[in-house]
């Protein structure tokens, strides 16, 4: 999958460039059971954007070889700008960039430089510059999320509650540890959508509409 992505980016670099969109990356943060992954898939299909799930990015960030391979898809100027941005981010947020975080920021930054992508999780909204991405947070009531998880995994409501609370705790701890911030803080997002009141299709239209508006501004 990684090699396929590298080849796609290389082909894109050799093709005639379309008019640059001001923003062509959407980051998705989501509460467990809120339907964020489903929304991300439908959004990427509608916009014809590449889709990067949390697990895929996490696996890439664990390999120094992979981060190097991805950085090689950038031209010299793009790589230099990325390095400068990461350095300023570390300084601004007072981060302690261990090996994992260094690779993670380089991978998310590379995806951001290529653009036309939907990134799910891993704190991507904390890595990419605000003027280069649309940051979305997907939420729903606990009752709705428990119902979704219970139905999806065919487990009891009590088991669903345990899964949801564990996932929420892990995600909160991840953002606090690596980005020194609160995943639930509203100001970390451009758009917050409640899938308890909006259908997934309506949520997709809301995000794509917001993206269009930003690029017309």
């Amino acid at each position: 999958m990684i090699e396929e992505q590298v080849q796609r980016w290389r082909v894109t670099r050799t093709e005639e460039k379309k008019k640059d969109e001001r923003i062509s990356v959407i980051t998705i943060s989501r509460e467990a059971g809120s339907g964020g992954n489903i929304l991300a898939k439908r959004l990427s299909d509608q916009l014809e954007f590449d889709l990067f799930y949390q697990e895929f990015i996490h696996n890439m960030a664990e390999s120094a070889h992979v981060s190097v391979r991805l950085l090689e898809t950038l031209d010299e100027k793009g790589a230099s700008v990325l390095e400068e941005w990461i350095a300023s981010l570390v300084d601004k947020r007072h981060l302690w960039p261990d090996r994992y975080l260094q690779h993670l920021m380089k991978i998310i930054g590379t995806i951001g430089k290529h653009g036309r992508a939907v990134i799910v999780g891993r704190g991507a909204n904390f890595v990419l510059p605000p003027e280069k991405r649309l940051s979305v947070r997907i939420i729903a009531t606990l009752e709705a999320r428990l119902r979704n998880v219970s139905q999806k995994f065919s487990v009891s409501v009590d088991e669903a509650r345990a899964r949801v609370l564990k996932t929420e705790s892990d995600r909160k701890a991840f953002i606090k540890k690596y980005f020194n911030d609160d995943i639930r803080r509203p100001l970390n997002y451009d758009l917050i959508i409640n899938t308890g009141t909006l259908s997934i299709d309506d949520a997709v239209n809301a995000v794509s509409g917001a993206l269009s508006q930003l690029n017309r501004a």
Side-chain angles (χ1 to χ4, degrees):
M1 291 177 64
I2 293 167
E3 287 304 316
E4 289 176 2
Q5 186 62 55
V6 167
Q7 291 304 318
R8 279 201 296 272
W9 281 337
R10 284 178 172 168
V11 169
T12 300
R13 279 180 56 186
T14 61
E15 292 177 344
E16 184 178 350
K17 292 283 186 179
K18 297 180 180 179
K19 181 180 179 181
D20 285 344
E21 297 161 305
R22 191 168 71 87
I23 297 176
S24 66
V25 178
I26 301 170
T27 64
I28 304 289
S29 172
R30 71 274 186 240
E31 290 185 327
S34 64
N37 284 354
I38 299 172
L39 183 147
K41 178 64 168 66
R42 293 190 189 176
L43 196 59
S44 69
D45 288 343
Q46 182 183 106
L47 298 173
E48 297 183 341
F49 280 12
D50 290 330
L51 175 60
F52 297 89
Y53 282 119
Q54 169 183 322
E55 295 79 8
F56 185 50
I57 293 177
H58 172 72
N59 290 337
M60 288 193 294
E62 290 191 315
S63 169
H65 171 70
V66 170
S67 66
V68 169
R69 290 283 290 123
L70 296 188
L71 282 172
E72 288 173 349
T73 64
L74 298 177
D75 57 28
E76 186 175 343
K77 180 180 178 181
S80 177
V81 169
L82 176 57
E83 292 287 354
E84 289 176 6
W85 167 251
I86 289 176
S88 68
L89 181 67
V90 169
D91 183 61
K92 179 181 178 182
R93 286 189 168 273
H94 307 291
L95 305 181
W96 184 259
D98 61 13
R99 181 179 177 184
Y100 175 82
L101 182 57
Q102 289 180 39
H103 295 326
L104 179 67
M105 291 191 293
K106 288 178 181 178
I107 288 165
I108 292 175
T110 300
I111 295 171
K113 291 294 292 182
H114 285 288
R116 301 190 65 77
V118 177
I119 308 176
V120 182
R122 291 294 90 174
N125 59 299
F126 297 99
V127 176
L128 300 176
E131 67 275 11
K132 295 296 184 181
R133 47 82 174 149
L134 172 63
S135 176
V136 181
R137 173 79 168 160
I138 308 301
I139 65 170
T141 63
L142 179 59
E143 180 182 14
R145 293 188 288 126
L146 294 181
R147 183 170 60 249
N148 291 341
V149 172
S150 178
Q151 292 174 353
K152 179 179 179 180
F153 296 102
S154 299
V155 297
S156 67
V157 173
D158 286 342
E159 174 63 20
R161 184 185 301 275
R163 292 188 181 204
V164 166
L165 294 180
K166 174 66 165 56
T167 300
E168 287 293 290
S169 177
D170 289 347
R171 290 176 182 170
K172 180 181 177 183
F174 179 88
I175 297 302
K176 182 63 178 177
K177 175 182 178 181
Y178 287 109
F179 300 106
N180 195 29
D181 214 320
D182 187 347
I183 194 173
R184 300 168 301 179
R185 184 170 176 257
L187 290 177
N188 286 326
Y189 308 97
D190 304 308
L191 187 63
I192 298 178
I193 295 179
N194 184 349
T195 53
T197 55
L198 282 181
S199 69
I200 295 295
D201 286 339
D202 287 340
V204 168
N205 290 334
V207 176
S208 60
L211 184 66
S212 295
Q213 282 296 118
L214 287 172
N215 282 322
R216 281 200 294 266

